[in-house]
């Protein structure tokens, strides 16, 4: 004889939901931000103008010479000629 199978009634099907398995994926991005820090060098050239003042002064001398002609007279004065009238 063959063994008999038990006949069982099938009940409703149960569904079991397992917790969701979370996978994390990491992405990476890069951005560049330029920071400009300006600086300025101002070259100041200093030039001194030195004004030197001169006050020249001269002194001059002037010599004057006066001449006088003195004729020593002779004891005899020459005769003056008479005008030519006759």
């Amino acid at each position: 004889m063959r063994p008999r199978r038990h006949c069982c009634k099938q009940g409703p099907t149960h569904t079991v939901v397992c917790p969701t398995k979370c996978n994390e994926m990491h992405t990476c991005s890069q951005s560049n931000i330029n920071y400009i820090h300006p600086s300025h060098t101002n070259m100041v050239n200093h030039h001194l103008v030195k004004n030197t003042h001169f006050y020249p002064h001269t002194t001059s001398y002037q010599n004057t010479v006066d001449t006088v002609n003195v004729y020593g007279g002779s004891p005899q004065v020459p005769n003056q000629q008479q005008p030519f009238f006759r």
Side-chain angles (χ1 to χ4, degrees):
M1 241 194 312
R2 273 169 118 188
R4 281 173 112 193
R5 282 202 254 172
H6 295 297
C7 191
C8 46
K9 215 168 146 189
Q10 286 191 334
T13 308
H14 295 282
T15 304
V16 175
V17 178
C18 294
T20 305
K21 182 178 178 185
C22 290
N23 294 320
E24 278 188 354
M25 300 220 25
H26 293 264
T27 61
C28 188
S29 65
Q30 177 179 332
S31 61
N32 291 330
I33 298 176
N34 294 325
Y35 288 90
I36 299 172
H37 302 275
S39 65
H40 175 76
T41 301
N42 185 23
M43 299 295 292
V44 178
N45 295 314
H46 297 276
H47 180 78
L48 174 65
V49 175
K50 200 171 186 180
N51 295 313
T52 305
H53 298 272
F54 294 96
Y55 300 96
H57 179 78
T58 58
T59 302
S60 64
Y61 295 93
Q62 185 175 15
N63 296 316
T64 60
V65 177
D66 294 323
T67 57
V68 177
N69 293 315
V70 178
Y71 294 100
S74 63
Q76 295 181 349
V77 178
N79 290 336
Q80 292 183 349
Q81 292 187 358
Q82 300 285 331
F84 188 71
F85 291 106
R86 284 203 195 195

